[in-house]
């Protein structure tokens, strides 16, 4: 369903778009996409369902707005960091992966990968959107780091497309673990330690020995 108008992001007296997005993220992560109702989002944000429709034509458009207003800007910031970074590849990798985890992995946004994996088959259009807006851009971000390191003689020659996906996979898995208590036997308090070990293993594999 396409929107006949774009969301109006300026505040109105009886409507606060950012509160709607925050409430939607909470409910999407807690219940999943299919089980989240617009009535519940409006109620959690403290507005009427009619007010919600002033900004978002459908639940699909609301979900897309959540992604575009939360994850996409973070990817843009990471792209800017990589482009302007003057240090070596080890420093850049630690910075990008650490910031990724602190900005996404430790927040409610970490629940979105599990949601997409669970519901992509039932909502293929949303899956395509997430692939284009988040997954592809994230992979390109890591590929850019690898290419930069290879050009500087700091990272061994690798298949950047394959290795980017391999490097991203543990980060996604840690986020899924975080939202799968009772299924995955991982202490959420130890995820920072997992991140440290992951970074060390990745760098040991990637960096050329001096």
């Amino acid at each position: 369903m396409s929107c006949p108008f774009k969301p109006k992001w300026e505040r109105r007296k009886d409507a606060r778009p950012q509160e709607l997005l925050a409430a939607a993220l909470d409910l999407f992560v807690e219940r999943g996409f299919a089980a989240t109702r617009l009535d519940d989002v409006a109620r959690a944000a403290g507005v009427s369902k009619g007010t919600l429709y002033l900004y978002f034509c459908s639940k699909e458009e609301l979900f897309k707005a959540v992604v575009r207003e939360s994850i996409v800007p973070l990817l843009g910031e990471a792209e800017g960091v990589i482009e302007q970074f003057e240090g070596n590849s080890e420093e850049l990798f630690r910075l990008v992966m650490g910031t990724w985890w602190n900005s996404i992995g430790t927040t409610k946004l970490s629940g979105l990968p599990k949601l997409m994996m669970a519901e992509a088959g039932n909502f293929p259009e949303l899956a395509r959107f997430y692939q284009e807006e988040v997954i592809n851009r994230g992979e390109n971000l890591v590929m850019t780091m690898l290419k930069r390191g290879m050009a500087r003689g700091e990272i061994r020659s690798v298949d950047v497309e394959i290795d980017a996906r391999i490097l991203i996979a543990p980060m996604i898995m840690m986020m899924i673990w975080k939202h799968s208590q009772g299924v995955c036997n991982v202490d959420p308090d130890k995820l920072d330690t997992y991140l440290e070990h992951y970074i060390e293993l990745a760098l040991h594999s990637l960096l050329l020995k001096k």
Side-chain angles (χ1 to χ4, degrees), residues 35-72:
T36 295
R37 302 187 311 156
L38 291 181
D39 286 347
D40 296 330
V41 173
R43 187 178 303 110
V47 302
S48 68
K49 188 175 179 179
T51 295
L52 186 153
Y53 274 112
L54 290 174
Y55 297 92
F56 308 104
C57 300
S58 65
K59 188 165 63 172
E60 288 78 6
E61 292 299 326
L62 177 59
F63 179 83
K64 290 179 181 180
V66 168
V67 171
R68 286 176 174 147
E69 290 295 311
S70 57
I71 296 181
V72 171

Side-chain angles (χ1 to χ4, degrees), residues 159-199:
D159 184 315
V160 294
E161 182 176 350
I162 291 175
D163 283 29
R165 291 178 177 177
I166 290 172
L167 289 167
I168 289 172
M171 303 290 288
I172 295 176
M173 198 66 228
M174 285 192 292
M175 289 188 278
I176 293 175
W177 283 344
K178 181 180 174 184
H179 294 272
S180 302
Q181 292 94 338
V183 177
C184 298
N185 187 24
V186 175
D187 185 347
D189 293 336
K190 293 183 178 179
L191 286 174
D192 286 343
T193 303
Y194 275 87
L195 176 67
E196 293 172 6
H197 282 252
Y198 155 72
I199 289 175

Side-chain angles (χ1 to χ4, degrees), residues 15-189:
R16 297 176 172 86
Q18 295 303 327
E19 280 84 343
L20 286 167
L21 294 176
L25 175 62
D26 287 345
L27 290 171
F28 284 141
V29 170
E30 178 185 343
R31 302 179 183 181
F33 182 80
T36 295
R37 302 187 311 156
L38 291 181
D39 286 347
D40 296 330
V41 173
R43 187 178 303 110
V47 302
S48 68
K49 188 175 179 179
T51 295
L52 186 153
Y53 274 112
L54 290 174
Y55 297 92
F56 308 104
C57 300
S58 65
K59 188 165 63 172
E60 288 78 6
E61 292 299 326
L62 177 59
F63 179 83
K64 290 179 181 180
V66 168
V67 171
R68 286 176 174 147
E69 290 295 311
S70 57
I71 296 181
V72 171
L74 296 175
L75 293 172
E77 290 177 12
E79 290 164 349
V81 167
I82 293 172
E83 182 179 353
Q84 300 174 20
F85 195 77
E86 297 181 355
N88 62 42
S89 295
E90 177 179 354
E91 294 168 338
L92 178 60
F93 188 85
R94 290 184 185 278
L95 174 63
V96 170
M97 291 307 184
T99 303
W100 182 348
W101 183 251
N102 289 330
S103 300
I104 298 177
T106 62
T107 72
K108 278 285 181 67
L109 296 173
S110 61
L112 294 181
K114 181 183 176 184
L115 180 155
M116 292 308 307
M117 292 185 71
E119 305 201 44
N122 293 324
F123 302 96
E125 197 277 331
L126 280 188
R128 285 191 294 271
F129 160 80
Y130 195 81
Q131 180 72 37
E132 294 170 0
E133 298 273 347
V134 178
I135 302 299
N136 291 350
R137 199 163 169 184
E139 289 177 354
N140 287 333
L141 188 152
V142 177
M143 285 192 285
T144 299
M145 281 200 296
L146 294 176
K147 291 175 182 177
R148 176 187 184 275
M150 291 164 58
R152 291 167 58 97
E154 296 169 345
I155 289 178
R156 65 182 179 83
S157 179
V158 299
D159 184 315
V160 294
E161 182 176 350
I162 291 175
D163 283 29
R165 291 178 177 177
I166 290 172
L167 289 167
I168 289 172
M171 303 290 288
I172 295 176
M173 198 66 228
M174 285 192 292
M175 289 188 278
I176 293 175
W177 283 344
K178 181 180 174 184
H179 294 272
S180 302
Q181 292 94 338
V183 177
C184 298
N185 187 24
V186 175
D187 185 347
D189 293 336

